[in-house]
Amino acid sequence: MNNLWTTIAHTAGRRIKSKTFVIATALMAAFLIVIINIDNIIDSFAGDSDDGDTASEVAVVDETEAENGVSFGEMLASMEDGTYDYSLYTDGNIDAAIEAAEDGEFEYVLALTGDTSNLQADLFTSGTGFMSGMEINQDVQRAKEAAATAQLDLTDEELAMIFTPVTFNERPINGDGQTEESQMQAYWMVYGLVFAIYLIVITFGTMIATEVATEKSSRVMELIVSSINPVTQMAGKILGIGVAGLVNLLVLAAAAVAGFQLSGDDFLQSLVGDALDLSLIAYALLFIFLGYFLYGGVAAMLGALVSRAEEVNQAIQPLIFIAMIAFFIAIFGLNTPDAPFIQVLSYVPFFTPQLLFLRIGMGTVPGWEIAVIIGILILSAVLINLLAARIYKGGVLMYGKFSFKSGIQQALRLSKKEN
Amino acid sequence: MSLVLKDLKKKFTDQYAVDGINVTVEKGQMFGMLGANGAGKTTSFRMILGLLDPTEGSAEWDGRPVSYDRTNLVGYLPEERGMFPKLTVKDQLIYLMKLKGMKKGDIIQEMRQWLGRFQVEEYENKKMEELSKGNQQKIQFMAAVLHKPELLILDEPFSGLDPVNADMLKDAVLDLQRNGTTIVFSSHQMRNVEELCEDLIMLKRGKAVLQGNLREIKRSYGMKSISVHADYDLGFIQNIPGVLSLEKNKNGATVKVENEAVAEDIFHGITEKGFVRKFEVEEPSLHDIFIDKVGGEANE
């Protein structure tokens, strides 16, 4: 037991103190804070450069027939939009306006032709701002609607009737279904967890395998396993890397909280708001934990089969493929959580953490089924770790060219309990 | 307290790596295990340490197999040296010795003492990879003895060391033995074995080809070596029956003979020829015995 703690402390301590870990964690934390505050940062830059004059200049070349004495160009020019500053261009035709825009007088040139019933608008842009076409189109549309309603000579009530927005609500068909809000929340949580498991498997699985392989290739392994049971050592490695991972996640979580504090955004509020399903969080933690053990055991086993650290990537590839497949199935399944193949695949231990969580979060799974599937997962995690421990015990004494089949056979032979 | 290997066997696939060896090493003894590469030395050590399970027979220290609940009694220097290259000398000794159940304070105290003895105090906070190979080996040796084991297993402890460092290590090993440590070691360098151990076993393909007390082995070993210094050609000796080999050198020749009777024949032959400045019958060196027992048959 003592040696287990020593190994956990050693593994975790070495990771956490390593420059790579510190720098990577710091960069990720900084990145997270920046991403969360990206709006503010962009705003502050935008504010600086334009200095109060934030609206883009749009030259309007109006070639439409004026009706009721008001032209579209004038209507647009009188619009107080804030984003675009429309001004009627009267110094020449469309070509002259484009020339002026090229000289930097305007950012956009908008040419209007036709009449109210058949209005055509051509927008000339310098190519930046992919939203501008849509936004200017809306402005022109509004101007046209205003012109049309003006022509119809409607009263204020009639105008209000047209322009008052619809009150639109989404409700679940059956009473106990999820509300839109909790559905959205579940969607993002499932998405987040599926992604998290994928990242955890790839990052920490590789870390475990590398750790084992490095100790093997530096030949310190034989010395270690002469003092401590390889099985205890393997467990210590998996837990130690887990602790390092936990520290990493806690730092990132702290960075996220700090980021939201800085931005003053209430996203965090909305995430952990009243509608938050605590059981979903509990499931998420359980699946991360079990998934880590299942994949971690296999990773340690694969690490023990190779002799050199360079071979780790080759050895761990199948595991990463499985994680990738689970990832894609889960992402696909977000839209069809109750599809039969998702239900079936959620029984497969390597897919269970992602797919069962998907089913619980996005749909309804009977309690007994959850219990059965989690039971299968726990059982297979234990079995796989027992098998991994056997192979690990033989594998750590084994050197030579890496091959799955003969490697596993040889490892089992070496760890064979005789008599 | 003694180390007892009883009919120890280990089979891999279809071949015995260790094929029925019987050894008893009493407390405080220094025991040598000799053999060519692949003779089964490392496999035997691994079975003594409990890293491998014997196919048949047993390897017991103090009446029962070494298991993980008492690895603190055993020290091991593996043949394939290796520590954590990126860790400092201090950090890795702390980790490895904690696994042996030592407390951090004791580890540091013992470590400083040994660093002093090996004259490498300045490496305490250096990374292992920055040390020379010889100095790495000193640290590796410390990892085997810092916890004061009862049983110390040294697999090729002197390989790759310069004479000064080899002597330093030899002294340390002898000191440990004087303090009651039971030591089993293997070596290719017969000179080291002759200097250090009283009892030995010579392995070939997992089987003992020679075993017992070193002095007795030498005395009773039929083959003798004769050193002759004379000024005339000694080539004729080769024709005397019972002569195994003749090796000429600048002073005369070294002759290997089957037994002492042959030595007498040679002596008579030489005195007929003329004056000899030296004629000495020597017991064979372990090196000769090793070549005779292991090397010779290996060429079959």
Side-chain angles (χ1 to χ4, degrees):
Chain A
M1 206 54 194
N2 255 336
N3 280 346
L4 179 65
W5 289 120
T6 309
T7 307
I8 294 174
H10 173 79
T11 310
R14 217 149 67 90
R15 276 286 154 192
I16 293 167
K17 274 189 258 170
S18 81
K19 283 197 197 92
T20 333
F21 184 89
V22 171
I23 293 171
T25 308
L27 279 179
M28 277 193 276
F31 183 71
L32 203 59
I33 293 178
V34 169
I35 283 290
I36 290 167
N37 288 288
I38 197 80
D39 283 351
N40 298 345
I41 293 167
I42 289 175
D43 282 356
S44 73
F45 274 110
D48 282 353
S49 58
D50 284 356
D51 227 0
D53 186 20
T54 50
S56 305
E57 300 268 354
V58 183
V60 183
V61 182
D62 188 2
E63 289 172 2
T64 56
E65 319 271 316
E67 290 167 71
N68 293 347
V70 185
S71 74
F72 286 114
E74 281 163 3
M75 246 187 248
L76 277 169
S78 65
M79 214 176 251
E80 285 188 10
D81 174 279
T83 321
Y84 299 97
D85 185 10
Y86 299 96
S87 55
L88 205 51
Y89 187 79
T90 49
D91 299 346
N93 63 1
I94 179 79
D95 295 327
I98 291 171
E99 216 166 286
E102 278 171 0
D103 292 343
E105 254 179 83
F106 311 105
E107 267 184 67
Y108 305 96
V109 175
L110 180 67
L112 299 172
T113 49
D115 55 24
T116 315
S117 52
N118 186 20
L119 184 65
Q120 189 184 338
D122 295 287
L123 181 69
F124 299 88
T125 76
S126 53
T128 58
F130 63 96
M131 292 292 284
S132 54
M134 209 171 80
E135 287 165 358
I136 293 176
N137 185 3
Q138 277 173 5
D139 285 349
V140 175
Q141 188 70 31
R142 265 163 59 199
K144 189 195 129 155
E145 280 165 9
T149 47
Q151 268 184 31
L152 292 172
D153 202 14
L154 300 172
T155 63
D156 285 351
E157 287 83 42
E158 284 166 327
L159 280 174
M161 217 189 289
I162 293 171
F163 290 115
T164 312
V166 179
T167 313
F168 190 83
N169 285 321
E170 267 186 85
R171 294 191 202 287
I173 292 176
N174 54 351
D176 60 345
Q178 291 167 317
T179 63
E180 187 198 359
E181 193 187 354
S182 72
Q183 184 79 30
M184 264 327 270
Q185 212 171 44
Y187 182 92
W188 286 112
M189 276 192 68
V190 171
Y191 193 91
L193 179 98
V194 164
F195 199 65
I197 290 185
Y198 177 67
L199 279 184
I200 285 170
V201 166
I202 292 200
T203 326
F204 298 115
T206 312
M207 254 189 225
I208 292 172
T210 311
E211 183 92 3
V212 175
T214 310
E215 285 187 5
K216 261 192 84 179
S217 71
S218 75
R219 303 273 177 165
V220 73
M221 189 60 109
E222 186 163 354
L223 194 60
I224 295 174
V225 296
S226 74
S227 304
I228 167 175
N229 193 327
V231 180
T232 314
Q233 198 224 4
M234 183 179 112
K237 286 245 165 293
I238 296 175
L239 289 171
I241 298 281
V243 170
L246 214 58
V247 170
N248 185 325
L249 291 181
L250 284 178
V251 171
L252 292 188
V257 171
F260 284 120
Q261 292 275 329
L262 271 175
S263 76
D265 204 332
D266 56 358
F267 173 76
L268 204 62
Q269 187 70 42
S270 71
L271 190 73
V272 287
D274 330 318
L276 184 77
D277 193 347
L278 274 178
S279 70
L280 213 53
I281 298 264
Y283 275 124
L285 292 177
L286 177 73
F287 285 129
I288 287 182
F289 181 78
L290 290 176
Y292 178 74
F293 258 91
L294 184 74
Y295 280 93
V298 178
M301 177 187 88
L302 294 173
L305 284 176
V306 303
S307 313
R308 291 175 303 145
E310 300 89 74
E311 288 171 334
V312 167
N313 286 329
Q314 189 199 344
I316 204 163
Q317 225 155 35
L319 192 67
I320 290 181
F321 275 136
I322 292 175
M324 269 166 79
I325 292 168
F327 176 71
F328 287 123
I329 294 175
I331 294 297
F332 179 74
L334 274 171
N335 298 316
T336 56
D338 291 322
F341 81 98
I342 298 279
Q343 293 188 15
V344 172
L345 287 178
S346 69
Y347 280 85
V348 179
F350 284 98
F351 299 153
T352 300
Q354 296 94 329
L355 296 187
L356 184 59
F357 187 71
L358 168 79
R359 289 181 59 199
I360 292 172
M362 304 294 290
T364 43
V365 190
W368 65 265
E369 202 181 343
I370 296 179
V372 167
I373 299 179
I374 289 183
I376 293 176
L377 177 61
I378 291 174
L379 191 69
S380 43
V382 169
L383 285 179
I384 281 187
N385 272 282
L386 286 179
L387 175 74
R390 264 290 299 278
I391 292 176
Y392 188 93
K393 190 166 185 277
V396 291
L397 293 177
M398 198 169 76
Y399 289 93
K401 205 175 163 344
F402 167 70
S403 126
F404 276 109
K405 197 162 151 277
S406 65
I408 288 175
Q409 279 172 355
Q410 201 187 341
L412 286 174
R413 203 158 57 228
L414 278 170
S415 63
K416 196 170 153 197
K417 203 87 193 128
E418 314 257 11
N419 299 328
Chain B
M1 260 188 307
S2 58
L3 175 71
V4 179
L5 311 186
K6 204 188 283 172
D7 277 327
L8 192 63
K9 287 187 186 180
K10 182 70 189 177
K11 191 178 180 182
F12 292 125
T13 340
D14 49 355
Q15 204 179 337
Y16 280 97
V18 176
D19 196 356
I21 60 174
N22 286 284
V23 167
T24 302
V25 186
E26 296 299 334
K27 178 180 157 52
Q29 256 196 343
M30 181 109 66
F31 188 85
M33 228 180 224
L34 280 56
N37 299 319
K41 291 170 296 185
T42 300
T43 304
S44 302
F45 289 157
R46 285 178 173 175
M47 282 191 282
I48 295 172
L49 291 161
L51 296 180
L52 290 176
D53 234 29
T55 311
E56 275 174 55
S58 63
E60 294 180 344
W61 170 248
D62 199 12
R64 56 195 180 101
V66 173
S67 56
Y68 285 111
D69 59 340
R70 48 179 202 153
T71 49
N72 57 323
L73 304 181
V74 184
Y76 180 39
L77 176 77
E79 182 180 9
E80 293 285 356
R81 313 278 191 264
M83 305 281 273
F84 297 98
K86 303 275 177 205
L87 282 191
T88 62
V89 167
K90 185 169 140 187
D91 284 349
Q92 56 195 313
L93 284 174
I94 288 177
Y95 172 57
L96 292 169
M97 291 300 110
K98 268 190 178 172
L99 291 181
K100 292 286 190 191
M102 281 178 86
K103 295 227 158 42
K104 192 175 168 181
D106 298 339
I107 298 169
I108 290 176
Q109 198 186 335
E110 282 291 317
M111 175 190 72
R112 297 222 165 110
Q113 209 170 316
W114 276 99
L115 286 175
R117 170 167 193 158
F118 285 149
Q119 298 165 11
V120 285
E121 294 100 325
E122 66 273 29
Y123 295 138
E124 182 177 325
N125 290 309
K126 276 239 161 61
K127 281 185 187 166
M128 197 68 176
E129 60 186 1
E130 295 167 8
L131 270 56
S132 72
K133 204 171 163 237
N135 285 328
Q136 287 186 14
Q137 194 149 331
K138 290 178 188 168
I139 308 301
Q140 184 104 45
F141 181 78
M142 287 167 60
V145 300
L146 222 59
H147 58 296
K148 301 195 174 80
E150 292 176 358
L151 175 65
L152 179 59
I153 292 178
L154 305 170
D155 204 348
E156 296 291 343
F158 306 108
S159 72
L161 284 180
D162 65 50
V164 178
N165 282 323
D167 278 349
M168 203 183 266
L169 205 63
K170 222 176 282 174
D171 287 343
V173 171
L174 284 168
D175 272 356
L176 287 166
Q177 189 206 5
R178 269 194 284 278
N179 292 331
T181 312
T182 309
I183 301 170
V184 180
F185 78 100
S186 72
S187 184
H188 287 123
Q189 285 146 297
M190 298 303 140
R191 204 171 53 82
N192 291 323
V193 180
E194 283 191 289
E195 281 174 32
L196 290 173
C197 66
E198 299 113 55
D199 291 277
L200 61 86
I201 186 170
M202 208 178 271
L203 294 177
K204 191 185 171 189
R205 295 199 198 117
K207 284 197 167 82
V209 288
L210 196 67
Q211 188 169 358
N213 181 279
L214 178 61
R215 253 169 306 170
E216 277 168 29
I217 288 176
K218 280 184 153 190
R219 204 178 306 138
S220 62
Y221 203 74
M223 191 182 80
K224 302 280 170 190
S225 175
I226 304 165
S227 177
V228 186
H229 290 184
D231 294 328
Y232 43 88
D233 184 38
L234 294 168
F236 70 96
I237 294 176
Q238 197 125 40
N239 303 322
I240 300 174
V243 171
L244 297 170
S245 71
L246 177 92
E247 210 175 293
K248 288 185 187 169
N249 54 43
K250 63 181 192 305
N251 294 321
T254 306
V255 190
K256 299 228 160 56
V257 296
E258 271 175 8
N259 52 50
E260 234 168 65
V262 183
E264 279 178 43
D265 296 344
I266 295 174
F267 184 73
H268 293 308
I270 287 175
T271 45
E272 283 168 21
K273 285 262 177 184
F275 179 67
V276 270
R277 275 182 283 111
K278 181 182 174 187
F279 185 92
E280 189 179 16
V281 181
E282 294 163 342
E283 282 180 343
S285 70
L286 198 54
H287 180 88
D288 296 331
I289 299 178
F290 185 83
I291 301 282
D292 186 43
K293 278 285 177 188
V294 176
E297 291 173 45
N299 293 332
E300 281 169 15

